[in-house]
Amino acid sequence: MPRSLRSGFVLRFHHVLFFGALLVTVAIGTAFWTGTCDPHLFLGINFAWPDPGMEALCVAAGSALVALPLVWIWRSRTIDFLALLLPLEAINLFAYFAISTTAHKIPEEAVGILQMAGLLLLLNAVGFCILLGSIFFFYWSASAFHARLPELPRHPDLLDRRMQTVFRVGGVCCALLIAAPMLYIGTIPILSGKEDRVALLVSDSLRAGYNFAETFFPIMVGGLVVLIFRKPKRMAGPDGWILGAIVLLQFATTDRSSMLFAMMATVALLSMERRWPRWVLVLMFVGYISSFTVLAGFSSLLRSNTQKLEGGGVLSSSVEEAFYGDNIIDLHDGAWVFSHWDFEPLLGQTYLGGLVSMMPSGLFPQKKDWHLGLTALRIVGWDTENHFGLRISFFGESFLNFGIAGVVTLGVVLGMFFGIALRLTHLASVGAGGVVQPCLWRNATYVLLIQILKPLSNTSDAFYSWSLIGFLVVVWFVVVWPPPPRSHGKVIASRRLRPIRH
């Protein structure tokens, strides 16, 4: 191997973006040329329910999505955001065993949902197999060529001091933007029922502000928790007050997804702060998955059916509600959409919706026509004005647009991005090579990378990606770009971090 390669190369994410765009272009062209972008290849494929083969496939795919992240957590001694994201998809797959009950909640649709559930499960199993293989291939490639991190642009003390200001100001802004819709409608959804969750979005300007707050809430919570972890006395100061305010306000809105991402960001950032014992990381991983399952059902009962919580079986009632209620139903919704779909490919329409998701509806009304969740509602014939939209599973959108070619392409492209981001995260973790101390700015950036990439599997959430990209740009200008004070110049030069070598 040439000496230049043996010495390693710097991982720069914009190179990965370029290669990913090139890969997508080639893949789409190949798909049209071979005809694999035509979903009609799968028209008429139905599976009975229950089907022993599909049940075995569900167990195998779901178990892999839990076991493999646990293995790389054990090896790297770091809990990354991706390792917490994939087990949630496993839980979505395990909901296949409850789909008979959830399907019959809409009796006239039950037959179609049960017929299509197996096909959707099969597509997701194939997609996740390709995704996991691609993650490990690109991760191994980066490791084999001795990839290393870029040197920090400023001393970590300076970066983290500026990040503390960002988290404080951002936390206050989040609190105001979350509280504003509740003050406007004069009610608190957690106390008055889930109908008021929709009422929070009646004002266009307040809805935009609330959506921005949802976007930044997870990283604000994670960053503030890390700051308090470093100096516990901050809990009694501004950091503790801001953290408590945004968590309580977001809980009052009954929006569980942002609370979930906040939990994930917090666990990931904390695991990068010190060299934790492996058994602690495993306990955190298992506790996170268990907490998610229980809280998903508990919060649903809290806002819609408190009678079930009055008995002694709160835990069992919460788990039952998580799988049999209106919670973990990506497969249910996806199978419902497939049962009404004519299998004509959308040819990237919903991905265009993701591209323009940041544009105001008044300036670009077509974005509502291209929105994935609303497109799914129109396919099943439901009202698009009073519903947030349907989620059709991780690989459902790629199949709607480009058939099996879309599933394969999404698996490879996301695997490339995730694999590189995962390698960056592990290189940045405490105890790796020449890292002298954890840098909250860099750790938060790598956590956000996974959160930015995730909406490629569901462009209904593309607004969050664009918001977080904008947030990173603002952070760069506020935290990285300003030169350090002159008095710190000599200190920064003398304490510059050494490059990481493996």
Side-chain angles (χ1 to χ4, degrees):
M1 183 180 293
R3 182 176 179 181
S4 60
L5 292 182
R6 289 201 305 270
S7 64
F9 64 93
V10 177
L11 275 172
R12 298 192 183 279
F13 214 72
H14 63 273
H15 295 153
V16 184
L17 288 173
F18 172 78
F19 184 69
L22 179 63
L23 185 61
V24 169
T25 302
V26 172
I28 291 178
T30 303
F32 277 102
W33 179 56
T34 59
T36 53
C37 64
D38 188 359
H40 282 95
L41 296 173
F42 290 81
L43 185 62
I45 297 180
N46 297 321
F47 294 90
W49 196 97
D51 181 282
M54 288 296 104
E55 291 178 348
L57 181 64
C58 179
V59 172
S63 299
L65 291 173
V66 175
L68 291 178
L70 185 57
V71 168
W72 77 57
I73 286 173
W74 182 269
R75 287 178 60 86
S76 66
R77 296 183 69 172
T78 303
I79 300 180
D80 57 277
F81 199 85
L82 181 61
L84 300 177
L85 187 66
L86 292 180
L88 300 187
E89 300 303 327
I91 293 175
N92 282 325
L93 293 185
F94 290 145
Y96 175 78
F97 294 99
I99 201 166
S100 178
T101 300
T102 57
H104 282 90
K105 290 188 175 182
I106 313 177
E108 64 275 13
E109 304 289 351
V111 174
I113 292 173
L114 294 177
Q115 286 179 340
M116 287 295 175
L119 174 60
L120 192 57
L121 174 63
L122 176 62
L123 294 172
N124 276 279
V126 171
F128 282 124
C129 180
I130 295 171
L131 174 66
L132 291 172
S134 184
I135 288 173
F136 284 105
F137 173 78
F138 285 102
Y139 184 96
W140 172 84
S141 298
S143 178
F145 285 98
H146 306 286
R148 55 189 176 88
L149 288 171
E151 190 173 307
L152 285 173
R154 308 286 182 215
H155 191 272
D157 285 341
L158 178 62
L159 292 173
D160 287 355
R161 202 158 48 243
R162 291 173 173 174
M163 281 301 290
Q164 182 180 28
T165 302
V166 169
F167 287 130
R168 286 179 174 177
V169 174
V172 171
C173 292
C174 275
L176 295 175
L177 293 174
I178 294 171
M182 289 188 284
L183 293 173
Y184 180 77
I185 64 175
T187 188
I188 301 175
I190 193 67
L191 301 177
S192 55
K194 65 180 182 180
E195 290 78 12
D196 286 327
R197 171 77 176 86
V198 180
L200 289 176
L201 310 180
V202 294
S203 168
D204 290 341
S205 57
L206 292 180
R207 179 175 67 247
Y210 179 74
N211 287 337
F212 275 113
E214 276 192 310
T215 302
F216 307 135
F217 173 80
I219 198 63
M220 293 300 161
V221 171
L224 289 169
V225 169
V226 168
L227 292 173
I228 293 171
F229 172 78
R230 290 178 175 180
K231 292 184 179 180
K233 65 180 182 180
R234 287 174 173 157
M235 190 66 192
D239 297 336
W241 285 101
I242 295 171
L243 176 63
I246 59 177
V247 170
L248 288 176
L249 285 169
Q250 190 65 8
F251 181 76
T253 67
T254 73
D255 181 13
R256 295 164 296 180
S257 59
S258 58
M259 295 290 285
L260 168 65
F261 280 118
M263 188 190 309
M264 296 165 68
T266 301
V267 171
L269 289 174
L270 282 177
S271 77
M272 300 172 74
E273 280 296 299
R274 52 171 291 187
R275 201 71 166 170
W276 299 88
R278 285 188 171 92
W279 68 268
V280 173
L281 296 178
V282 172
L283 190 63
M284 291 170 66
F285 179 79
V286 174
Y288 156 77
I289 296 175
S290 303
S291 299
F292 163 74
T293 307
V294 173
L295 292 176
F298 178 78
S299 60
S300 178
L301 292 175
L302 193 63
R303 68 183 185 180
S304 61
N305 192 358
T306 55
Q307 291 81 5
K308 284 190 176 182
L309 296 176
E310 295 175 356
V314 175
L315 184 62
S316 59
S317 297
S318 297
V319 173
E320 179 182 355
E321 177 67 16
F323 285 99
Y324 294 98
D326 188 20
N327 296 286
I328 305 171
I329 56 170
D330 286 24
L331 275 179
H332 167 278
D333 286 356
W336 183 18
V337 171
F338 275 32
S339 68
H340 285 265
W341 182 36
D342 59 6
F343 278 71
E344 288 294 331
L346 301 183
L347 299 179
Q349 176 179 297
T350 61
Y351 291 109
L352 288 176
L355 283 174
V356 300
S357 58
M358 279 292 289
M359 299 185 67
S361 300
L363 296 178
F364 203 92
Q366 293 95 326
K367 79 173 192 175
K368 290 187 177 181
D369 297 329
W370 296 345
H371 186 275
L372 173 62
L374 300 181
T375 297
L377 285 174
R378 284 190 289 270
I379 290 175
V380 301
W382 268 35
D383 176 28
T384 60
E385 296 297 326
N386 299 307
H387 198 285
F388 292 112
L390 300 177
R391 307 181 71 87
I392 58 175
S393 78
F394 197 97
F395 289 94
E397 180 180 14
S398 59
F399 187 78
L400 277 175
N401 282 275
F402 298 110
I404 191 63
V407 173
V408 174
T409 301
L410 180 64
V412 173
V413 172
L414 263 185
M416 178 187 65
F417 285 128
F418 284 163
I420 298 299
L422 187 61
R423 184 59 181 166
L424 288 170
T425 301
H426 290 171
L427 288 174
S429 300
V430 173
V435 174
V436 177
Q437 68 183 86
C439 176
L440 183 55
W441 167 76
R442 181 165 59 187
N443 293 349
T445 298
Y446 293 155
V447 168
L448 287 175
L449 279 179
I450 302 296
Q451 197 173 347
I452 287 171
L453 294 169
K454 170 62 173 65
L456 285 174
S457 69
N458 181 3
T459 58
S460 295
D461 298 331
F463 174 86
Y464 303 118
S465 290
W466 291 117
S467 299
L468 291 177
I469 290 172
F471 175 72
L472 286 180
V473 172
V474 171
V475 166
W476 191 88
F477 278 106
V478 172
V479 176
V480 179
W481 181 69
R486 288 187 177 182
S487 59
H488 293 277
K490 294 181 180 180
V491 176
I492 294 172
S494 64
R495 296 178 62 187
R496 190 176 298 277
L497 294 183
R498 301 186 303 275
I500 298 173
R501 299 187 186 279
H502 284 264

